[in-house]
């Protein structure tokens, strides 16, 4: 290997959240699979959090993907007979968190009889192959599509409580990614109301989402920050019509600059109403 080359497992850890459900009744399995493989090849993410995949299997060994040149290094984590996570096996390992343990946490919080949202069972421990990078929790969230604002707020409060409890008990930072089916302002409001230490990442939506608004986001522990959070194009006009959610890309920073705490302390004196400046629990574009 030439001097200066970087082993694949030493490259930055990147993450994408993507709702890959169809936008309409115009189903095109070939185009959807092509778009997913194109996303993996062009962005080379370490982890992809999927919502509405409906795939029972994904991979180069699957007969259903054989004609799409699916990259060998990507493996899948499956829950309830559906692929929920894709990950670069050369850079990271994923281990599903026991759903029973999550349910125990839910019971401890004395939640209502409606029970735990299905999405809350989708939690994994991510362990980078590069041992200089720490382990972290990764959570896939899919908020209810047809729900009133009170229900959404209740679900988010429960999400933040349970994720925070696991993060503290396991002594691991956490990243939440997914389709929240809510605007960033609604998520920010619940973060403030609950006093959560989680950081929310806003971004400028793509042109095609500028009217309907962004509803796919990342949140993380304050000790684990994300940068370059932005939407990604599916790569073709047909795919963009077929898949109405933009994938959201981010790079994980495990060793944030020491001045982040100083900046956050300074921002604590600000309020949301002071122009475009944001509260310390929010990151995003200006």
């Amino acid at each position: 290997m030439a001097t200066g080359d970087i082993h694949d497992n030493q490259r930055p850890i990147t993450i994408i959240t993507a709702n890959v459900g169809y936008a309409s009744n115009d189903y095109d399995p070939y185009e959807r699979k092509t778009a997913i493989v194109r996303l993996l090849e062009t962005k080379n993410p370490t982890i992809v959090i999927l919502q509405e995949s409906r795939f029972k299997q994904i991979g180069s060994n699957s007969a259903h993907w054989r004609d799409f040149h699916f990259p060998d290094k990507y493996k899948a984590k499956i829950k309830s007979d559906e692929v929920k996570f894709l990950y670069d096996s050369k850079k990271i390992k994923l281990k599903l968190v026991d759903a029973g343990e999550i349910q125990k946490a839910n019971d401890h919080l004395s939640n209502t009889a409606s029970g735990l949202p299905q999405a809350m069972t989708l939690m994994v421990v991510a362990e980078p192959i590069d041992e200089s990078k720490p382990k972290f929790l990764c959570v896939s969230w899919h908020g209810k599509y047809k729900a009133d604002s009170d229900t959404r707020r209740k679900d988010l409060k429960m999400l933040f409580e349970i994720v925070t409890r696991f993060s503290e008990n396991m002594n691991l930072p956490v990243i939440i990614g997914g389709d929240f089916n809510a605007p960033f302002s609604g998520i920010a409001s619940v973060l403030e109301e609950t006093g959560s230490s989680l950081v929310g990442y806003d971004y400028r939506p793509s042109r095609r989402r500028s009217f309907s608004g962004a509803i796919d986001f990342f949140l993380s522990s304050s000790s684990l920050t994300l940068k370059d959070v932005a939407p990604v194009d599916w790569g073709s006009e047909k795919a963009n019509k077929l898949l109405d959610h933009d994938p959201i890309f981010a790079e994980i920073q495990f060793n944030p600059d020491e001045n982040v705490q100083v900046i956050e302390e300074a921002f604590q004196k600000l309020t949301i109403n002071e122009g475009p400046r944001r509260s310390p629990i929010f990151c995003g574009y200006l």
Side-chain angles (χ1 to χ4, degrees):
M1 182 180 69
T3 303
D5 284 354
I6 301 176
H7 285 289
D8 196 45
N9 64 15
Q10 294 177 321
R11 296 184 184 277
I13 301 293
T14 57
I15 188 166
I16 286 176
T17 183
N19 183 319
V20 294
Y22 290 106
S24 66
N25 292 326
D26 182 22
Y27 301 112
D28 188 337
Y30 184 89
E31 182 61 33
R32 186 166 77 136
K33 290 179 180 179
T34 300
I36 291 170
V37 170
R38 185 189 301 120
L39 179 69
L40 297 178
E41 291 177 339
T42 58
K43 301 306 294 184
N44 194 30
T46 310
I47 300 173
V48 182
I49 304 172
L50 295 174
Q51 300 89 46
E52 296 190 53
S53 82
R54 306 289 193 270
F55 295 123
K56 293 187 176 182
Q57 55 183 327
I58 293 182
S60 57
N61 294 327
S62 169
H64 299 288
W65 290 83
R66 191 167 296 152
D67 296 332
F68 295 89
H69 306 290
F70 192 93
D72 289 338
K73 66 180 182 178
Y74 284 103
K75 309 302 179 185
K77 277 297 177 185
I78 300 170
K79 184 71 176 180
S80 302
D81 292 325
E82 183 174 329
V83 174
K84 303 297 187 182
F85 294 89
L86 294 175
Y87 64 100
D88 182 344
S89 61
K90 293 185 177 181
K91 294 177 65 175
I92 207 159
K93 294 184 288 185
L94 297 187
K95 179 182 178 181
L96 285 168
V97 173
D98 187 343
E101 292 301 315
I102 301 174
Q103 185 65 55
K104 287 180 184 178
N106 178 58
D107 294 341
H108 183 79
L109 290 170
S110 300
N111 188 45
T112 63
S114 61
L116 191 70
Q118 182 65 24
M120 266 311 305
T121 63
L122 310 178
M123 184 187 299
V124 295
V125 175
E127 182 177 354
I129 302 299
D130 179 0
E131 296 181 355
S132 68
K133 297 181 175 69
K135 298 179 184 179
F136 59 95
L137 288 170
C138 190
V139 179
S140 175
W141 174 254
H142 192 183
K144 294 183 178 73
Y145 174 56
K146 293 183 178 180
D148 57 36
S149 59
D150 287 342
T151 299
R152 287 198 175 100
R153 294 178 72 84
K154 177 184 173 183
D155 285 353
L156 285 175
K157 286 180 181 180
M158 183 173 59
L159 168 69
F160 298 160
E161 285 186 276
I162 293 177
V163 167
T164 300
R165 177 177 293 273
F166 267 81
S167 177
E168 292 175 349
N169 288 349
M170 300 180 74
N171 195 28
L172 294 175
V174 62
I175 294 175
I176 305 170
D179 172 5
F180 283 75
N181 270 313
F184 187 78
S185 59
I187 300 169
S189 175
V190 177
L191 286 173
E192 280 204 312
E193 181 182 340
T194 58
S196 174
S197 61
L198 292 168
V199 178
Y201 297 87
D202 201 359
Y203 58 90
R204 191 180 303 279
S206 65
R207 176 177 293 184
R208 74 182 186 127
R209 293 290 308 185
S210 59
F211 179 76
S212 57
I215 56 175
D216 303 271
F217 298 103
F218 284 114
L219 305 176
S220 78
S221 300
S222 57
S223 60
L224 185 158
T225 60
L226 304 180
K227 71 173 188 177
D228 299 332
V229 180
V232 178
D233 190 271
W234 281 110
S236 77
E237 182 178 352
K238 187 174 183 180
N240 285 335
K241 289 181 179 179
L242 187 69
L243 306 168
D244 61 342
H245 288 255
D246 290 327
I248 310 302
F249 172 93
E251 180 180 327
I252 302 173
Q253 289 188 299
F254 293 101
N255 299 300
D257 192 277
E258 293 180 355
N259 67 4
V260 167
Q261 182 176 356
V262 175
I263 294 172
E264 290 187 347
E265 290 173 352
F267 267 66
Q268 287 175 359
K269 300 178 181 179
L270 304 177
T271 66
I272 285 182
N273 295 325
E274 290 180 293
R277 295 176 294 183
R278 299 187 183 275
S279 161
I281 59 172
F282 315 134
C283 296
Y285 65 90
L286 297 178

